Amino acid sequence: MKGQVVHSPTGERVVLDDVGQAVLFDNDVVRVWDVALPPGETHPWHLHHNPYVVLSISGSEARMDWLDGSEPRFLNEYRGGSVYRPLSPVHRLTNIGQRFYQNRLVELKDLGENRPEPHDIGAGDRSVEGQRPGPATADGRLPVIAHPHVSVWTVEVGADEARKLDLSDRPHVLAELARDGAAAYHPGGPLTLTGPGEWFVVELTY
């Protein structure tokens, strides 16, 4: 939470920032953030209170540093990829690559702030570039992540095309794979997307 004060192992006072830079959508179930870092820039120290899904809009090499002094984690996210992550210690994210980095970060409130104690999701899940966790759906969605809590697909709709998605009755989040793209919440059931465009479709299966 922005403004929360924590201390490093050496006693340094650190004021935490938000988990993202701008809220694109917020309701009782999810909160969707934009996270965007030009090469060399860092998103400041922050702490997640909800398990979350990362939807990669523009990938780059990145480094995650931990306030407790643990070894950094090196990432190389790619456009159209996704990560499902549990809560983790205070950290910051730096774009160490040469490309613009951007994602949509979807906080899952029902697994975090909406319950007395956050749900332990284990290790979460991560997509692998060039690999799919299953076949495409009949309506053209390509699977990215298939986890008991969340399923993530991408779908591309051509110009002058209206694509009907046969979605389940569970809640969904949709996010455009575009730098200035929108994010929206869908309570469930069939949905029609009008092209041209490409979207992430996230089903909350928990």
Side-chain angles (χ1 to χ4, degrees), residues 185-199:
Y185 178 82
H186 177 62
L191 176 72
T192 298
L193 294 176
T194 302
E198 191 173 4
W199 286 264

Side-chain angles (χ1 to χ4, degrees), residues 168-188:
S168 76
D169 290 335
R170 297 177 185 272
H172 290 71
V173 173
L174 289 96
E176 289 183 88
L177 268 91
R179 185 164 180 172
D180 297 319
Y185 178 82
H186 177 62

Side-chain angles (χ1 to χ4, degrees), residues 114-198:
N114 287 349
R115 53 172 66 208
E117 295 291 336
H119 183 67
D120 182 2
I121 72 164
D125 201 357
R126 176 182 293 273
S127 65
V128 177
E129 190 170 12
Q131 299 182 22
R132 299 282 181 189
T137 61
D139 56 19
R141 286 173 284 148
L142 300 176
V144 180
I145 281 179
H147 187 277
H149 297 160
V150 292
S151 294
V152 180
W153 299 268
T154 57
V155 61
E156 187 171 4
V157 182
D160 301 319
E161 179 187 0
R163 177 80 60 85
K164 182 180 179 181
L165 303 183
D166 186 22
L167 303 182
S168 76
D169 290 335
R170 297 177 185 272
H172 290 71
V173 173
L174 289 96
E176 289 183 88
L177 268 91
R179 185 164 180 172
D180 297 319
Y185 178 82
H186 177 62
L191 176 72
T192 298
L193 294 176
T194 302
E198 191 173 4

Side-chain angles (χ1 to χ4, degrees), residues 5-6 9 18 38 47 52 61 64 81 83 92 99 104 117 136 140 146 160 175 178 190 200 205:
V5 176
V6 298
D18 284 324
L47 179 65
Y52 59 99
E61 295 175 316
M64 190 178 290
V83 183
R92 64 186 177 188
R99 296 169 294 169
R104 300 290 184 253
E117 295 291 336
D160 301 319
F200 282 105
T205 54

